Amino acid sequence: MTVPRLIRPALTLLAATVVLAGCGADVDDPARPSDPADAVRVTNCGAPLSVPATPRRAVTNDTGITEMMFALGLTGHMAGYTTYEGKERDVATSPWRADFTSTRSLGTAFTREVIQAADPDFVFAGWNYGFKESTGVTPDWIRGIGATPYQLTEACRQPGSTRRGITRPLDALYDDLTNLGTIFGVRDRAAALIRDYRAEVARAAAGAPPGDRRARVFLFDSADPTPFTSGRTAGPDEIIEKAGGVNTFHGLDDSWTSVSWEAAAQADPQVIVIVDYGTGPSNTVQAKIDALRAQPLMAGTTAVREGNFVSFPYAALVESPRNPATITALAAYLRGKGL
């Protein structure tokens, strides 16, 4: 269902004047004479994005997005980050746990009030990763307060649709790291990370079986009441593929999305990957395994009958610098199961 576009308050008109004066972001023609001479220009979600100067007060939303900044060594350029309730497991398992500790937490609400109070010059989020018409926090609104909005590529909306994902998931990660490296003046760091990640993915993929022998893998995030899973444009699809499996919902041209129990069971997954949020009695890995075993349709699937469950933190499965290590770990699990 399409959510009606929210009408921006009168403040937007005043803020837009400031933007046109060169203090904010411009996503129109990057060759416009009004652009500062030292503006950095990249392509984000298929559109030109001009950043007038190196951001000094970046705000990020969600753990995977924030970890991209940390991986690039950009904590000193951040005004803070927001996350959501239930992401404690992400922070506890993060290779950048010290950065989470040393960077200002803005809480668990990515709202207009929280963002404005942080006085950002750059805001990195994504559709359904913070940007939502229902809250009024959109890229247009970010521009209206004089900051540059940068959209997570995994969550770019497809033209003419609210479906998300316009490229393969790992390409999305590499594109964002490249763009951030350009915007923040750390191109060499970004290039080195991408080289390392490509090498790790290649090592993991080298042991994958032929296509006709690949394990059927179902990504299970949650059920409310139907399963929430990954189509072919979300991170888990390529994580599963490079690890040597086949995402049972690869045929869905969408990112994270809901499906039916009938469709999930009909695919007869051999392995189920569970998203571990780590909090709440109904959100633990064991609670999700118990729910799958109790679900009449899923109970008969190969994965449930044989107990083939493997879990990873949320931040390891959405677009993030953890993706290559997740591929390595999932490949090891599949090989260990003879799959």
Side-chain angles (χ1 to χ4, degrees):
M1 180 177 68
T2 301
V3 180
R5 183 188 178 104
L6 296 178
I7 299 175
R8 295 200 300 270
L11 174 63
T12 302
L13 181 59
L14 176 61
T17 303
V18 177
V19 173
L20 291 174
C23 296
D26 177 13
V27 294
D28 295 327
D29 182 358
R32 284 178 53 179
S34 59
D35 278 357
D38 58 350
V40 173
R41 300 172 183 88
V42 298
T43 298
N44 181 218
C45 286
L49 178 69
S50 178
V51 186
T54 303
R56 297 296 177 188
R57 296 191 56 79
V59 166
T60 59
N61 180 64
D62 214 2
T63 43
I65 288 171
T66 302
E67 287 181 344
M68 269 189 258
M69 298 289 286
F70 293 162
L72 288 166
L74 298 174
T75 55
H77 291 259
M78 294 182 63
Y81 68 90
T82 59
T83 184
Y84 298 112
E85 297 288 348
K87 298 296 175 64
E88 292 86 351
R89 183 60 55 87
D90 278 0
V91 176
T93 61
S94 178
W96 301 277
R97 185 175 180 180
D99 294 284
F100 276 110
T101 301
S102 64
T103 304
R104 182 185 176 198
S105 171
L106 302 176
T108 58
F110 190 65
T111 64
R112 287 183 167 190
E113 295 75 16
V114 168
I115 296 165
Q116 283 187 295
D119 189 27
D121 55 8
F122 184 87
V123 178
F124 183 11
W127 288 107
N128 289 12
Y129 291 85
F131 290 145
K132 294 180 180 180
E133 285 94 350
S134 61
T135 63
V137 179
T138 65
D140 280 348
W141 181 80
I142 298 297
R143 283 188 284 272
I145 64 170
T148 299
Y150 186 88
Q151 300 181 51
L152 181 74
T153 298
E154 182 190 51
C156 292
R157 285 179 167 173
Q158 298 172 17
S161 171
T162 58
R163 293 195 306 272
R164 296 174 297 155
I166 59 174
T167 188
R168 293 297 291 146
L170 287 176
D171 288 337
L173 172 63
Y174 302 150
D175 286 349
D176 283 337
L177 289 172
T178 298
N179 282 346
L180 292 171
T182 299
I183 291 167
F184 286 90
V186 289
R187 291 183 179 89
D188 290 347
R189 174 65 175 164
L193 285 177
I194 293 168
R195 283 195 301 270
D196 289 347
Y197 294 160
R198 289 186 184 277
E200 179 167 7
V201 171
R203 288 192 297 270
D212 59 350
R213 289 175 41 212
R214 291 182 169 228
R216 300 179 301 278
V217 181
F218 170 51
L219 185 286
F220 181 54
D221 176 278
S222 55
D224 188 27
T226 57
F228 195 62
T229 189
S230 165
R232 68 169 169 264
T233 59
D237 185 83
E238 199 164 10
I239 289 170
I240 291 167
E241 175 195 320
K242 296 300 186 183
V246 175
N247 175 17
T248 55
F249 285 99
H250 174 76
L252 289 179
D253 185 20
D254 203 350
S255 180
W256 296 80
T257 187
S258 295
V259 297
S260 68
W261 284 117
E262 290 80 5
Q266 187 175 22
D268 188 26
Q270 296 165 277
V271 172
I272 297 177
V273 173
I274 295 175
V275 182
D276 180 8
Y277 291 98
T279 60
S282 64
N283 219 6
T284 66
V285 172
Q286 189 57 53
K288 292 179 182 181
I289 291 173
D290 292 342
L292 288 164
R293 286 175 171 156
Q295 215 292 324
L297 294 171
M298 294 301 295
T301 63
T302 301
V304 174
R305 290 198 323 269
E306 297 183 358
N308 292 340
F309 303 106
V310 59
S311 65
F312 297 100
Y314 164 90
L317 293 163
V318 295
E319 182 194 328
S320 84
R322 296 199 212 189
N323 292 162
T326 307
I327 293 169
T328 298
L330 181 57
Y333 177 85
L334 295 176
R335 301 297 88 74
K337 289 285 184 178
L339 298 171

